[in-house]
Amino acid sequence: MRMRSEAMTGMLPAMPLAVLFLFSFVVPLLVLIFLSLFRTPQFTEMGFDQYARFVGDGYNLKVLFDTLLLGVEVALIALVLAYPLGLAYVAAPPLGRTIITFLILLPLLTSSVVRTFAWIVILGREGIVNSAMLAFGLWDQPARLLYTWGGMVLALAQIQLPLMALPIINSLMRIDGNLTRAAEGLGASRFRILFTVILPLTLPGAIAGWLLVFAAAVTAFITQTLVGGGRIILMPLYIYQQAMGVQEWPFSAALSLIFTVAVIGIVAAVGAVSRRYMRGVDAA
Amino acid sequence: MTDKRGNDLALSGVNHWFGPTQALDGVSLRIDPGEMVALLGPSGCGKTTLLQIIAGFLQPTEGEVLLDGGRVDHIPANRRRVGMVFQNYALFPHLSVFENVAYGLRARKMPGAAIKAKVAEMLALVKMGHLADRLPSQLSGGQQQRVALARALAIEPGIVLLDEPFSALDKNLRLDMQIEIKGLLKGYGVTSIIVTHDQEEALSMADRIVVMNRGRIEQVGTPDILYDRPATLFVNQFIGHANFLQAALVAPRRVKLEAGIEIDLAEPAPQPVGSAVLVSIRPENIAISGTSAGPTIPVKVRITMPLGAADVIEAVTPNGETVKIHKTRSPASKPIASGTALALSVVDPTGIGIFAAPAGDPASTLHGP
Ligand SMILES: Nc1ncnc2c1ncn2[C@@H]1O[C@H](COP(=O)(O)OP(=O)(O)O)[C@@H](O)[C@H]1O
Ligand SMILES: [Mg+2]
């Protein structure tokens, strides 16, 4: 009895978090599942019609596929941007590190609405990129950058970059300097050291970052909608339209659940595959 | 395999600064092909810095590094053909034993079949062939060290540098590995430098020992020379045990100990007559004379420590200095009790070292390792 009460007391500090988790995650999830099992928006009968409807229409599948593709592209671009940044960070003297840290953290300190509008200013018809290209005579007419797939991918990659850069920097910092020295002493070029030592040893950080950016990008409703200008329909906007626009609550609940399962599935698959390639590298 | 494998190494006037700190101060040294040299000195004296300069991971602020007579101090590490075994072994954790040893061969673009053969040869040399598929984390410390050595030797270096290679091993394994690695490197004929702060390790492994202190070389010599003829007080203190007694030089070949007696020296001391000196006498050079003729120092035993083959007796002189004496044990003898009065005499005056007394209180600064 005594042991038991002590165990209970030990759990006490975790209780608020458990309650929060219950009400902000478990309960809404159960509500969603419940809602998705109605056959009509009038909540009359129950059945799996909403799921059949999703699978039956190619448009739904395309929206889901585009959304996941967006996540993959954004995360890959962020990955490619984050490595040079991380390598510059580790190579930099203390002052340089402070500056790079500040630059990486800056986006986290502004709201995603502000960051998104900054991208609208940059990519707009009279935005910075177009003005500069026209001024230098490189383009003879403004290009459409805003409301395009490429613009959206780029903006999301920049906005989510901290989620990629921080785990990669963490992994890079943990590499023992003697390992790169050993490689150099054995005759390896910089390039070879990067590909045979640094990249494999930072794989855990890169994968953690990749998954974070992927999950953040596919669900970035505000940025997707504003930079995409509502012309590119992706899952978050689609769910919003179905729920708030046409009041199709059961269908939007089914969409939400399918989307959630798809994202979790990709995260789990990437995690499982990457673990097979991380022999000997301790996960970050 | 009778061809000369080892490089000769020459350092001349090497200085190195880390910002305002001087890590190396005028280091000059010659090492012959195939020689095994120990760099011995306390932590922070610049041993690792010197190794990194030889390997090419650091460029000396000043000075020259020559391998086989050619300057290499501006050649990057990846083109020097210097083998290095790191203090923590630095095996690539994500690569198998085989791939670790193959790393330098792949970097040199050796064909696959040749790599296989060379790695097999190296792993056989260090008796690790059966564990080629393991990851470093699945090996014991001694096994990791063998792989690190095989990896370093695989690129056929002219010189191998080992930075405190045994410090991570426990004491029993350490001696085995010392014997094994010494045999291996000697048999292989490669020039090698072993960094250590452990004097026994240096004495047991090296042909010659380089004693370093605060970025400078104090003395270079064979283990015998360093022990019997230390050039500086530091070397005398660092290698082996010694008693340091305060004295005055009363004639070029005669000192008067503050503990009472006068001793005749084998050779004239370099210090001016009348100056204060420290006299170094190794514990084994002191005899307990009982009632013998000749000058003796009267002491009182403070403590007796039975350390296996010998008893180490710590005694106090009339002027309060501490003296350690080794007394060989026999089954019949009884340990000498604390408080016993003894008379001590010097066995062999050639084994006495005379050094200028350092400024300050010598007793507090001089009881080294
Ligand atoms: N990267 C560095 N930056 C600044 N000071 C250093 C650096 N590496 C070594 N030092 C200093 O140089 C001196 C010699 O260091 P080191 O060569 O590592 O000594 P040892 O290997 O003999 O213990 C020490 O005082 C150490 O603090
Ligand atoms: Mg060191």
Side-chain angles (χ1 to χ4, degrees), chain B residues 103-118:
Chain B
Y103 191 92
L105 307 175
R106 293 205 194 283
R108 270 147 230 271
K109 312 246 157 61
M110 194 187 253
I115 290 180
K116 253 190 147 141
K118 185 74 188 173

Side-chain angles (χ1 to χ4, degrees), chain B residues 58-362:
Chain B
L58 283 176
Q59 292 229 339
T61 314
E62 283 170 325
E64 295 181 4
V65 181
L66 297 100
L67 280 178
D68 280 345
R71 275 191 75 164
V72 296
D73 42 82
H74 294 293
I75 296 181
N78 55 15
R79 291 199 278 119
R80 273 195 201 185
R81 227 167 61 93
V82 170
M84 180 104 182
V85 175
F86 292 85
Q87 194 162 359
N88 56 0
Y89 316 133
L91 295 176
F92 304 119
H94 57 299
L95 298 180
S96 66
V97 165
F98 182 97
E99 284 301 326
N100 265 279
V101 179
Y103 191 92
L105 307 175
R106 293 205 194 283
R108 270 147 230 271
K109 312 246 157 61
M110 194 187 253
I115 290 180
K116 253 190 147 141
K118 185 74 188 173
V119 173
E121 180 197 333
M122 286 299 125
L123 288 179
L125 185 71
V126 298
K127 305 194 203 89
M128 286 290 294
H130 58 302
L131 298 175
D133 295 327
R134 293 268 184 102
L135 285 177
S137 58
Q138 299 166 321
L139 302 177
S140 71
Q143 291 171 333
Q144 290 186 29
Q145 183 171 55
R146 283 175 212 198
V147 176
L149 187 66
R151 183 178 71 175
L153 290 176
I155 60 169
E156 305 200 339
I159 182 164
V160 177
L161 312 175
L162 304 99
D163 193 356
E164 312 228 3
F166 307 105
S167 60
L169 303 178
D170 60 49
K171 208 168 161 69
N172 292 331
L173 184 58
R174 198 178 303 173
L175 188 62
D176 290 345
M177 287 306 289
Q178 283 169 3
I179 294 167
E180 184 172 336
I181 287 192
K182 178 174 183 172
L184 246 160
L185 290 172
K186 277 281 164 193
Y188 209 64
V190 68
T191 311
S192 53
I193 302 182
I194 293 201
V195 158
T196 175
H197 61 257
D198 175 352
Q199 48 144 329
E200 280 179 34
E201 190 168 297
L203 293 168
S204 65
M205 292 198 72
D207 301 322
R208 279 194 306 156
I209 298 174
V210 177
V211 182
M212 290 183 66
N213 184 28
R214 300 181 183 195
R216 301 177 137 274
I217 292 183
E218 293 266 336
Q219 189 175 3
V220 182
T222 60
D224 289 351
I225 293 286
L226 293 183
Y227 191 83
D228 295 332
R229 309 222 147 274
T232 65
L233 184 57
F234 178 84
V235 176
N236 195 319
Q237 253 183 292
F238 203 78
I239 310 253
H241 295 282
N243 296 299
F244 293 100
L245 299 176
Q246 298 184 50
L249 201 62
V250 293
R253 295 181 57 160
R254 194 171 173 82
V255 287
K256 182 172 170 24
L257 300 184
E258 288 184 16
I261 60 170
E262 295 195 3
I263 307 175
D264 287 317
L265 304 175
E267 293 165 29
Q271 289 80 12
V273 171
S275 60
V277 292
L278 279 179
V279 173
S280 152
I281 311 172
R282 302 273 185 202
E284 66 274 18
N285 197 16
I286 297 178
I288 301 169
S289 2
T291 58
S292 92
T296 59
I297 311 171
V299 294
K300 269 212 160 56
V301 172
R302 182 148 69 196
I303 193 164
T304 301
M305 291 169 283
L307 296 181
D311 282 345
V312 173
I313 300 166
E314 193 173 284
V316 186
T317 63
N319 61 327
E321 291 176 299
T322 306
V323 181
K324 283 201 177 71
I325 315 143
H326 286 181
K327 182 171 174 291
T328 320
R329 257 157 54 122
S330 66
S333 71
K334 277 224 174 82
I336 298 175
S338 302
T340 311
L342 296 175
L344 304 181
S345 60
V346 174
V347 179
D348 179 3
T350 56
I352 290 179
I354 304 289
F355 302 98
D361 173 23

Side-chain angles (χ1 to χ4, degrees), chain B residues 18-19 21-24 41-50 58 87 163-164 195:
Chain B
F18 289 108
T21 354
Q22 185 166 19
L24 292 175
S43 182
C45 72
K47 306 180 298 288
T48 297
T49 306
L50 189 57
L58 283 176
Q87 194 162 359
D163 193 356
E164 312 228 3
V195 158

Side-chain angles (χ1 to χ4, degrees), chain A residues 55-98:
Chain A
V55 185
D57 186 346
Y59 177 77
N60 297 324
L61 294 171
K62 182 177 178 329
V63 172
L64 177 63
F65 177 79
D66 284 352
T67 311
L68 299 177
L69 181 67
L70 174 85
V72 170
E73 289 183 10
V74 169
L76 286 179
I77 289 179
L79 186 67
V80 171
L81 294 177
Y83 261 104
L85 196 63
L87 291 171
Y89 178 88
V90 249
L95 179 66
R97 286 188 177 185
T98 312

